Amino acid sequence: MSRKWPSSCLLAVPTPHTSRQGFVPLSSIYQQTHRRRYAHQPRQQARPDAAISIAISEQYSAKAALNAVQSRTHGDPINPPRSTLPPPLELPERDKAQSVFIYWFRIGRAYGSFYKEGVKAVWFNNRATKLLRERITGKLGAGGEKEAAARGLISRSEWQVLCRNNHDIGKLPLFGVLVVVFGEWLPLFVPFMPGVVPGTCRIPSQVRGMREVAEERRRMSFRTANFEPEKGQLGFEEMAAVEGGAWPMASEKYILDVLKPMRDDQLHHLSTTLGLHGRIWDRLQLSPFLIRRRVTKHLQYLALDDRLLAQAPPSSKLSQVELENACSERGLDVLGRPEALLRESLEWWMKRQEEDEGRGRVMLSMLFRRLAIRDWVELLVKANDERAQT
């Protein structure tokens, strides 16, 4: 009669119940030697995409924003909760002994978990947004989230939760259907339809690809022609006097008055610089009305965001991911630039905005004139020299 061995074992070794015969399971020997062998080896460096995901999602929770609003424990005034960012995406490494089928199955499972967490985050962020709006209209006595931001009644962190939810919640129904239909194959189709993907479901390679396209189109727009408004075309001083109050660019009516004298090519340049439309709209000739509407909404968003950043405590500091997002939203190049330069660029933007008191003159000047901070410095030095000569 032959001995029966467990079917899951690759080697014919006795099982633990045969230890009385003097045999030791090879599996336990392998585990002990494996631990001794790798106990003192340095940790392997994470893959680039996994490293980015881990950096932005340490201690990630899809309910982070909801928990922060319910308990009011989120003490960061400028960085929103982690649930407004994509969840961690840790792609498995392929073992040499691993089959191709198993490897791609694990890849698909990782993407499936990523999209599942991203969709859950949108759902819970929407619940957090409803609670915030109830507090804004009730306890704070503001007419809406924009009024609350303009009056400084909410923090920049809360403002970002509201804005990102407005962007993501409308995309959730269609994207949810795509997740069900395509499942783990969805990353193959995402590059062809970036506009339908919520911000919490963007994989690192998609974010980088979108920024590469946006920065290249921005450079092309600056090379095409000089779109800067002529002197006297925009009457900021007169409009600011009529509007009254601080930070007039926070008003949609004020921005519409600022943009009214602009030509269609100038509006198109602003939309391209800020990444508000894709290449397909260049071919379809996006109507001036839609361009004006998109530019107006984004300029108002930037003005309110700058307003809340300006009132934040001096000790507060944007995280690296939030810093990159803030620079990208303001038409600043991000790829290939160190964190120190990005912080210097954003600080320069904020300094000039505060000097201008949010009238919009400096904001449009930066959007029409510069591509990098060195251009702004050269312009400032030139302006100081001209002022000294006069």
Side-chain angles (χ1 to χ4, degrees):
M1 184 174 178
S2 61
R3 169 171 287 183
K4 295 182 180 179
W5 308 106
S7 60
S8 60
C9 295
L10 297 179
L11 298 175
V13 294
T15 53
H17 70 273
T18 61
S19 58
R20 66 179 61 180
Q21 301 176 7
F23 291 99
V24 179
L26 291 183
S27 58
S28 61
I29 297 176
Y30 172 77
Q31 292 175 1
Q32 294 175 6
T33 56
H34 183 77
R35 284 195 295 266
R36 287 197 299 267
R37 180 181 178 184
Y38 294 102
H40 303 289
Q41 287 191 1
R43 185 179 179 180
Q44 292 183 352
Q45 186 176 2
R47 297 173 62 177
D49 50 355
I52 296 175
S53 299
I54 293 171
I56 69 175
S57 54
E58 186 179 356
Q59 299 178 350
Y60 180 85
S61 172
K63 295 184 178 180
L66 180 61
N67 293 336
V69 173
Q70 288 177 337
S71 60
R72 299 186 183 182
T73 56
H74 187 70
D76 197 327
I78 59 176
N79 293 298
R82 295 298 181 90
S83 61
T84 61
L85 296 171
L89 176 60
E90 300 183 16
L91 299 179
E93 296 280 358
R94 182 183 177 184
D95 192 359
K96 294 181 179 180
Q98 192 178 57
S99 66
V100 177
F101 175 79
I102 295 178
Y103 171 69
W104 284 108
F105 173 78
R106 294 178 61 194
I107 289 286
R109 188 170 58 180
Y111 277 116
S113 300
F114 171 82
Y115 287 126
K116 179 182 177 181
E117 286 297 313
V119 171
K120 284 171 56 179
V122 176
W123 178 261
F124 288 119
N125 289 344
N126 187 51
R127 291 177 56 185
T129 298
K130 291 180 180 179
L131 296 178
L132 274 175
R133 287 171 178 162
E134 291 176 0
R135 183 161 65 89
I136 288 173
T137 56
K139 184 177 180 179
L140 300 181
E145 53 201 61
K146 292 182 179 179
E147 180 183 341
R151 292 167 56 185
L153 301 178
I154 59 177
S155 65
R156 197 256 180 183
S157 172
E158 295 170 327
W159 166 248
Q160 284 297 321
V161 172
L162 294 167
C163 292
R164 294 180 187 183
N165 174 76
N166 294 339
H167 175 271
D168 293 341
I169 194 62
K171 303 177 185 295
L172 189 58
L174 177 57
F175 186 76
V177 173
L178 294 176
V179 171
V180 173
V181 173
F182 297 107
E184 61 270 16
W185 299 102
L186 187 57
L188 300 177
F189 302 93
V190 160
F192 304 99
M193 45 185 180
V196 303
V197 182
T200 59
C201 297
R202 290 175 178 171
I203 59 179
S205 59
Q206 180 189 1
V207 174
R208 182 175 183 83
M210 293 174 65
R211 286 176 176 171
E212 287 176 351
V213 172
E215 292 182 9
E216 177 60 28
R217 295 182 67 239
R218 185 182 305 134
R219 285 189 286 267
M220 290 296 296
S221 182
F222 270 91
R223 294 192 193 106
T224 302
N226 182 19
F227 300 102
E228 185 176 359
E230 299 176 357
K231 187 176 182 180
Q233 182 179 355
L234 306 176
F236 290 104
E237 301 297 338
E238 295 78 2
M239 287 183 288
V242 173
E243 180 68 22
W247 228 271
M249 281 290 282
S251 168
E252 182 177 354
K253 181 180 180 301
Y254 178 85
I255 298 175
L256 288 173
D257 291 338
V258 169
L259 300 181
K260 185 182 298 183
M262 286 192 181
R263 304 187 307 267
D264 293 347
D265 60 335
Q266 293 172 330
L267 290 173
H268 190 275
H269 170 75
L270 284 177
S271 181
T272 303
T273 300
L274 297 171
L276 303 183
H277 70 275
R279 288 175 175 171
I280 187 173
W281 295 111
D282 293 334
R283 303 188 185 98
L284 298 178
Q285 296 296 321
L286 188 65
S287 67
F289 171 76
L290 292 178
I291 292 181
R292 192 181 303 272
R293 183 169 176 268
R294 291 189 178 188
V295 172
T296 300
K297 291 179 62 177
H298 194 75
L299 291 182
Q300 185 182 23
Y301 160 76
L302 290 182
L304 292 171
D305 199 52
D306 289 343
R307 175 92 163 83
L308 296 174
L309 279 174
Q311 75 172 19
S315 59
S316 57
K317 182 179 179 181
L318 285 173
S319 65
Q320 183 173 355
V321 177
E322 293 295 338
L323 174 66
E324 292 177 357
N325 290 339
C327 290
S328 181
E329 290 172 344
R330 287 158 177 78
L332 296 169
D333 290 346
V334 172
L335 298 178
R337 298 179 181 273
E339 180 182 350
L341 180 58
L342 294 181
R343 293 196 183 278
E344 188 179 0
S345 300
L346 187 60
E347 289 173 2
W348 179 263
W349 173 287
M350 289 302 306
K351 180 180 178 181
R352 299 199 64 191
Q353 278 282 72
E354 293 177 21
E355 292 174 353
D356 190 53
E357 297 180 347
R359 289 192 292 266
R361 176 178 53 194
V362 166
M363 179 188 289
L364 291 179
S365 174
M366 291 187 290
L367 291 174
F368 276 112
R369 289 184 182 181
R370 62 93 189 94
L371 280 177
I373 191 171
R374 61 176 180 271
D375 301 325
W376 308 356
V377 174
E378 291 174 0
L379 290 172
L380 183 62
V381 171
K382 182 179 179 182
N384 291 337
D385 293 341
E386 293 176 352
R387 192 178 304 132
Q389 293 177 359
T390 57

